[in-house]
């Protein structure tokens, strides 16, 4: 699975880890994140993420 990086802050979303604090289970691909999911570091939306 591909990793994605938040361009403004550098947070890396790793699908193998997920976002447990945000309720996202490990193994969740970036494409399957809810549309209202936000970066846990800076609070911006999925649209600012780029493929790593």
């Amino acid at each position: 699975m591909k990793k994605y990086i938040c361009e403004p802050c550098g947070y890396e979303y790793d699908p193998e880890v997920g976002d447990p604090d945000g309720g996202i289970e490990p193994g969740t691909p970036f494409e399957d994140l809810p549309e209202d999911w936000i970066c846990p570091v800076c609070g911006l939306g999925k649209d600012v993420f780029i493929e790593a």
Side-chain angles (χ1 to χ4, degrees), residues 25-48:
E25 294 291 321
T28 303
F30 184 81
E31 296 81 10
D32 291 349
L33 292 174
E35 286 305 312
D36 62 350
W37 181 81
I38 57 170
C39 175
V41 174
C42 70
L44 295 176
K46 288 174 62 177
D47 58 324
V48 300

Side-chain angles (χ1 to χ4, degrees), residues 2-45:
K2 298 175 187 169
K3 295 179 182 180
Y4 285 79
I5 296 176
C6 179
E7 267 195 307
C9 78
Y11 169 79
E12 180 180 78
Y13 176 75
D14 183 347
E16 292 183 16
V17 176
D19 176 18
D21 292 339
I24 306 298
E25 294 291 321
T28 303
F30 184 81
E31 296 81 10
D32 291 349
L33 292 174
E35 286 305 312
D36 62 350
W37 181 81
I38 57 170
C39 175
V41 174
C42 70
L44 295 176

